[in-house]
Amino acid sequence: MENYQSALDTAFHALADPTRRAMIARLIEGPASVKELAEPFEMGLPSLLKHVKVLEASGLINSEKTGRVRTCRLVPTQLAAAEDWLNEQRAIWEARTDRLAAFAENQHASETNNDVE
Amino acid sequence: MENYQSALDTAFHALADPTRRAMIARLIEGPASVKELAEPFEMGLPSLLKHVKVLEASGLINSEKTGRVRTCRLVPTQLAAAEDWLNEQRAIWEARTDRLAAFAENQHASETNNDVE
């Protein structure tokens, strides 16, 4: 449970930055070298590598170096953990609003019946 | 677009903490006073209020003070924005893996046909 919480901490932290979200969106299209990941951003390599490290530490991506090229890949299971948490909250919220709506409808129906009687 | 990105930044940042996620999960069940929100946590009020402020700044919750009681409420639209972003990424990922699977299947079929000929 503690591991699950800490995985969510690092995943949400990694997602709390527009550059890192753009890098995730790029890697969803397929693996990319650090150079390819850097292309859309006006950013020095050291800053970019910091973002790569945050993403790797969160488990959202992994990377492998072959010769001089480091290739990054998405790890979809970790992204799914963050999504699952949010989906779960929405399901609970919807169930609650459904219950409230049903309660309001019953109240209305019973008031209407009382009016008729 | 910039507002959308900055809303995602603050929403994901707010979610990157187990206490704040627990507070969100509590507020999904319905509004709560700061005192009620504090109950499950062994935490001083100042620390707790910091979390409330981060959640308010992210737009995930709002709060209203009546007399001496501050009541917090979930703002589900903001939670939905974070969820939508993640759902969208998964949809793109799934479409890509489906394309790759279809490609692999076609390759296999055409290789099998070649074997037959």
Side-chain angles (χ1 to χ4, degrees):
Chain A
M1 191 62 186
E2 204 174 304
N3 282 350
Y4 170 68
Q5 290 296 342
S6 114
L8 285 179
D9 286 0
T10 53
F12 283 127
H13 168 66
L15 293 172
D17 179 279
T19 303
R20 291 197 292 267
R21 286 196 301 277
M23 289 163 80
I24 291 279
R26 166 63 190 83
L27 291 174
I28 276 174
E29 302 291 340
S33 69
V34 170
K35 194 166 164 274
E36 286 167 333
L37 274 184
E39 269 161 20
F41 308 106
E42 292 176 0
M43 188 180 280
L45 197 62
S47 306
L48 191 102
L49 282 173
K50 268 188 206 166
H51 287 307
V52 170
K53 276 190 183 158
V54 173
L55 286 170
E56 275 201 282
S58 74
L60 289 170
I61 74 165
N62 62 30
S63 79
E64 202 181 2
K65 203 166 181 179
T66 310
R68 298 181 67 174
V69 177
R70 178 170 294 281
T71 304
C72 301
R73 278 182 183 78
L74 187 78
V75 181
T77 46
Q78 201 70 345
L79 206 58
E83 190 190 7
D84 288 348
W85 187 86
L86 283 166
N87 287 344
E88 200 182 310
Q89 306 313 311
R90 187 176 42 101
I92 300 170
W93 175 266
E94 283 179 355
R96 179 180 167 262
T97 47
D98 286 351
R99 276 201 312 276
L100 288 179
F103 176 76
E105 210 165 294
N106 281 341
Q107 283 290 97
H108 179 73
S110 93
E111 275 166 26
T112 313
N113 283 343
N114 286 345
D115 287 350
V116 171
E117 281 162 11
Chain B
M1 191 64 185
E2 205 175 302
N3 282 351
Y4 170 68
Q5 289 297 342
S6 115
L8 285 179
D9 286 1
T10 53
F12 283 128
H13 168 67
L15 293 171
D17 179 278
T19 303
R20 292 197 291 268
R21 286 196 301 277
M23 289 163 81
I24 292 280
R26 166 62 190 81
L27 291 174
I28 277 174
E29 301 291 341
S33 69
V34 170
K35 195 167 163 273
E36 285 167 334
L37 273 184
E39 269 162 20
F41 308 107
E42 291 176 1
M43 189 181 280
L45 198 61
S47 306
L48 192 102
L49 282 173
K50 268 189 207 165
H51 287 308
V52 170
K53 276 189 183 158
V54 173
L55 286 170
E56 274 201 282
S58 74
L60 289 169
I61 74 166
N62 62 30
S63 79
E64 201 180 2
K65 203 167 180 177
T66 310
R68 299 181 65 174
V69 177
R70 179 169 292 280
T71 304
C72 302
R73 277 180 184 77
L74 188 77
V75 181
T77 46
Q78 201 70 345
L79 206 58
E83 190 190 7
D84 287 349
W85 187 86
L86 283 166
N87 287 344
E88 200 182 310
Q89 306 313 312
R90 187 177 40 103
I92 300 169
W93 175 266
E94 283 178 357
R96 177 178 168 265
T97 46
D98 286 353
R99 278 202 309 278
L100 287 178
F103 176 75
E105 210 165 294
N106 282 341
Q107 282 291 95
H108 179 73
S110 91
E111 276 167 26
T112 314
N113 284 343
N114 286 345
D115 288 352
V116 171
E117 280 160 13

